[in-house]
Amino acid sequence: ALVDEAGTALYFAEGTGLDVRGGSIAIMGEKGNAVTMTSAEEGKMWNGITVTGAKRSEIQGTNIENAMFGIAVESGSLDVRDGVISRADRAGVFVRNGSVALQLIRVEDCMNVGVWATHSAVIDIDASTLSGNHVALVAGENSSVNLMRTQIDVNEVGIVDFGDNVLTQRNS
């Protein structure tokens, strides 16, 4: 397991990222003392965080900036709480054949998609904000997305629903 503590700043070169394959990650920032993960060079993108495998991972109190994919989960599971994912090039959060729980998260200013669920993805989004993205949320085929108390505003497109999925909204 990789553990990052509150207040840590990690800078990634273009084309690099954090790949968690079969293991787990715990990034434990705190309110007012966040872990920051960003590009080492202004105007350049790093790959982001990729989680695969059966072990559940956790990211808390973390600001993820300027990545191709802020977080990508494939055949894995991840809990994300109290953080910001901003200025991702392709998607702030991308999930395929995995599960992600987002709580108290802001996904903002992503150039393509804020949150993208596809191919058997399960995403629960609670008390979060999707704002300033090209597309706030993509619910692809065979995915399940549950929005609870989530604000979707100031995006060019709110929700793209490809059908053949489960998309629920409560107090959103």
Side-chain angles (χ1 to χ4, degrees), residues 90-163:
R90 296 195 179 122
V93 178
F94 176 84
V95 184
R96 177 177 27 220
N97 195 35
S99 66
V100 171
L102 303 173
Q103 186 175 35
L104 300 168
I105 297 296
R106 286 191 341 257
V107 180
E108 58 190 23
D109 302 324
C110 295
M111 291 168 243
N112 192 6
V113 177
V115 176
W116 190 344
T118 188
H119 302 294
S120 300
V122 176
I123 302 178
D124 292 322
I125 306 172
D126 183 19
S128 296
T129 302
L130 309 178
S131 180
N133 305 292
H134 178 68
V135 177
L137 172 66
V138 172
E141 293 181 4
N142 299 316
S143 66
S144 176
V145 179
N146 186 22
L147 298 168
M148 301 163 288
R149 303 175 298 161
T150 294
Q151 183 175 352
I152 297 176
D153 66 356
V154 197
N155 300 281
E156 290 180 43
V157 177
I159 298 174
V160 174
D161 182 352
F162 282 100

Side-chain angles (χ1 to χ4, degrees), residues 39-75:
S39 176
E41 298 177 60
E42 192 167 327
K44 303 285 185 180
M45 294 280 176
W46 62 294
N47 291 348
I49 301 169
T50 302
V51 176
T52 59
K55 293 184 180 176
R56 191 151 199 92
S57 291
E58 182 177 3
I59 297 175
Q60 176 179 308
T62 301
N63 298 332
I64 299 169
E65 308 167 340
N66 304 317
M68 295 302 286
F69 291 90
I71 297 170
V73 175
E74 298 195 40
S75 302

